[in-house]
Amino acid sequence: IGFETSLSLVERGFEVVMACRSEDKALKAIQLIRREYPNGPGKAVFHAPLDLSDIKSVNAFSTKINDYYDKVDLLINNAGRIYGGEIANGWDEMFLTNYLGHFLLTKNLIDRLVAAENPRVVNVSSVMHHFSRSNAHDISYWNKFARFGRRCGESSYSPTKLAALYFTLELNRRYQSQGLRAIAVNPGAVNSDIWREMPRYLIPIFRLLYLNSKQGSYTTVAASMLKNLPKDVIYLQPYHQINPKVEPWPPTEMLGMFVGYLATKPRLPNDGTGGELSAQALWEISDQLVKDWGN
């Protein structure tokens, strides 16, 4: 999905920084993009590897970008994994990759973002945010998933995808007055590289039922480019809905009729404020988690 998104943005004239863990894979992707668009209008470049589960890598990449660019027009927090184990000091690899690394990267680049005209942050969420059992302003909930050994066998995938939505809300609250807009997206059920650790016999089934990677990039590209989205839109998903003004029934956000993108309501746990209280609390909790991560 990240490659197809990059390809679409280069086609629209962007200079796209490939933020990949593997320099080799990034350079191969850049070659393919140049083959497709040898004369622009945009281009893809590589400055430094980025491993979102490693705080030193996130900070080093951020420094590189801040030193090289005066402004950042668009940040797409796309990286994600559906598997992950325990890494250094007991941290949950999936929580770091899917959420906390994005949180830190965005904060590190925020000065460059607000220096741009009409900057955007796109946070890739998932239909799986529907299934997070969050009392989200409870710090113990997020600590449980940040630390691998504390989550009692539960996957941290759904909580990280809910966190992407709360992060979107809070970015808008804090920085909308400076011109920044954040939007979360569900790419859909996509036959992409995220399934690389699944049994190989399942891949033909995914290919039959799921969207391809190009289709999976539609919501991200729309969130990045569309100028006419109503101001209250914070979430795009790719399937037809009978009534987009209500929270979709989860199966229709997984295997529905593909329409490219559609603004719908995300399913946020009821905190009495439409998620705003929980979003503010998660930001504060995330700041503390980043401090702990760095120690």
Side-chain angles (χ1 to χ4, degrees), residues 187-260:
V190 183
N191 180 32
S192 72
D193 192 47
I194 198 170
W195 305 110
R196 58 187 173 271
E197 296 178 45
M198 293 290 285
R200 301 314 298 170
Y201 68 83
L202 290 175
I203 301 304
I205 300 174
F206 294 162
R207 191 177 298 122
L208 178 66
L209 296 178
Y210 289 177
L211 306 178
N212 60 43
S213 293
K214 182 70 173 178
Q215 292 171 316
S217 71
Y218 274 42
T219 52
T220 300
V221 174
S224 301
M225 297 298 302
L226 291 179
K227 306 298 184 187
N228 59 347
L229 285 173
K231 289 184 178 180
D232 61 344
V233 170
I234 64 158
Y235 183 65
L236 301 180
Q237 57 82 44
Y239 302 108
H240 170 74
Q241 304 294 329
I242 294 174
N243 185 356
K245 294 183 180 180
V246 301
E247 297 168 358
W249 186 46
T252 67
E253 248 198 272
M254 298 171 72
L255 296 172
M257 183 176 71
F258 177 71
V259 295

Side-chain angles (χ1 to χ4, degrees), residues 47 61 86 103 112 115 127 138 143 178 201 205-206 220 222 256 269:
H47 290 294
F61 178 86
E86 182 177 359
F103 173 83
R112 295 293 181 268
V127 63
D138 180 358
N143 271 325
Q178 298 181 60
Y201 68 83
I205 300 174
F206 294 162
T220 300

Side-chain angles (χ1 to χ4, degrees), residues 110-124:
I110 199 67
D111 288 343
R112 295 293 181 268
L113 282 160
V114 298
E117 184 177 354
N118 300 317
R120 292 257 174 117
V121 175
V122 178
N123 294 315
V124 177

